[in-house]
Amino acid sequence: MIEALETLVFSLADDELLIGHRHAEWIGLGPILEEDIAFASIAQDETGHAQAYYQLLTDLGLRTPDEYAFRREAQAFRSAHLVELPNFDYDYGLALMRHFLYDAAEQVRLEALRRSSYDPLAGLAERLAREEKYHWMHARAWIQRLGRSTEEAHLRLQSALDQLFPYAWMLFEEMPYEAEMVEAGWLPPSAELRERWLTLIAPILTDAQLTWHEPTPEHLLALQGARRGVRSPYFDALYAEMTEVSASDPDAEW
């Protein structure tokens, strides 16, 4: 079951690590000072959560969090393509919508993991949920506020939702060894988690007068395989930037 546990932990941790990096790119560029600070704080939390997930494997005598974060081959990552997407033109509507869709998924995943039969994961989920709820409150508040404000704000959020929704859908792509994970009681099936996610976000989007549609198989075809090691076209540049300091002296002790 070690391979199954690694797959699950990598799916959770790699998402957190890369969304943390993308959020950190907003430091100094937020539209208002409050949001600059908010995204910086959330980025720090997400990176810390990634480290905590990796530590679950380290505690079993496997590699260290730094090795998992900075010294793996691209194909070993299990991050969803949503978190690998660049901050295109630093469009804050896209940043907020990704934040909303992703942190809604985090609420659903952590709630399920708190009931996991794997005690170390359940205990960690309990702790992380206390911080993640503030990320969710922040994302939800801005979507609700801007979705019903000006026409421009509404149109920009709708455009972002149209672009990102298929990527967010694939946060719940079936993982390798998922049948074994479900049978062991580690978490529910990904399809069930997706339904919970839709139940959470649908009334908020409706209240903000934003519309969404289930992606077609054609839309999803190019996004498949992230949980099996298929990386997006944006991963290599992201990873090179993220590991630049570590790669300059791989044997350094920090």
Side-chain angles (χ1 to χ4, degrees):
M1 295 292 283
I2 287 295
E3 291 86 354
L5 182 61
E6 284 184 326
T7 297
L8 176 55
V9 169
F10 288 161
S11 296
L12 297 166
D14 294 348
D15 279 359
E16 293 284 82
L17 179 67
L18 298 190
I19 196 68
H21 186 82
R22 287 308 192 196
H23 284 344
E25 292 176 344
W26 279 96
I27 295 174
L29 298 173
I32 57 175
L33 179 60
E34 179 181 335
E35 284 305 284
D36 195 314
I37 295 169
F39 261 68
S41 177
I42 293 169
Q44 185 177 37
D45 283 349
E46 303 292 31
T47 304
H49 296 175
Q51 181 178 21
Y53 280 126
Y54 293 136
Q55 188 66 41
L56 292 176
L57 300 177
T58 303
D59 291 345
L60 296 177
L62 303 178
R63 300 167 70 183
T64 67
D66 282 350
E67 289 174 312
Y68 286 125
F70 302 128
R71 295 168 197 155
R72 266 188 296 158
E73 296 296 325
Q75 292 75 17
F77 275 75
R78 297 292 179 264
S79 45
H81 291 171
L82 177 72
V83 302
E84 299 175 10
L85 293 175
N87 286 301
F88 296 109
D89 298 323
Y90 283 88
D91 182 333
Y92 207 63
L94 279 169
L96 283 174
M97 186 56 69
R98 172 161 60 178
H99 173 28
F100 171 78
L101 296 171
Y102 178 79
D103 277 291
E106 280 294 273
Q107 292 299 299
V108 167
R109 292 195 295 198
L110 287 170
E111 183 61 29
L113 290 170
R114 288 166 69 182
R115 295 169 171 77
S116 175
S117 64
Y118 186 60
D119 289 341
L121 188 55
L124 178 58
E126 184 73 35
R127 178 166 66 85
L128 299 188
R130 291 195 288 270
E131 293 182 355
E132 288 286 354
K133 77 174 184 179
Y134 294 106
H135 303 177
W136 171 235
M137 289 168 60
H138 176 266
R140 183 182 61 197
W142 276 107
I143 295 300
Q144 291 172 320
R145 183 182 304 175
L146 293 176
R148 298 179 67 89
S149 60
T150 66
E151 181 180 3
E152 179 186 358
H154 181 270
L155 289 175
R156 289 177 65 175
L157 284 183
Q158 183 64 63
S159 175
L161 180 59
D162 294 341
Q163 182 174 340
L164 296 177
F165 197 75
Y167 288 93
W169 187 272
M170 296 304 285
L171 284 166
F172 302 99
E173 181 181 12
E174 183 176 336
M175 294 177 284
Y177 306 105
E178 184 165 310
E180 290 85 349
M181 298 176 198
V182 172
E183 183 177 358
W186 292 356
L187 81 172
S190 294
E192 181 179 328
L193 293 177
R194 181 187 289 129
E195 290 304 312
R196 297 182 190 180
W197 172 72
L198 289 171
T199 299
L200 178 60
I201 66 173
I204 299 168
L205 294 175
T206 298
D207 183 64
Q209 299 181 347
L210 298 168
T211 59
W212 58 271
H213 304 283
E214 181 175 332
T216 65
E218 291 75 19
H219 279 135
L220 299 177
L221 187 62
L223 308 180
Q224 292 176 354
R227 300 305 191 195
R228 299 175 183 272
V230 178
R231 305 275 46 86
S232 74
Y234 311 104
F235 179 86
D236 288 346
L238 165 62
Y239 197 59
E241 179 181 282
M242 192 172 70
T243 60
E244 182 178 4
V245 174
S246 175
S248 67
D249 189 353
D251 298 322
E253 294 185 8
W254 298 86

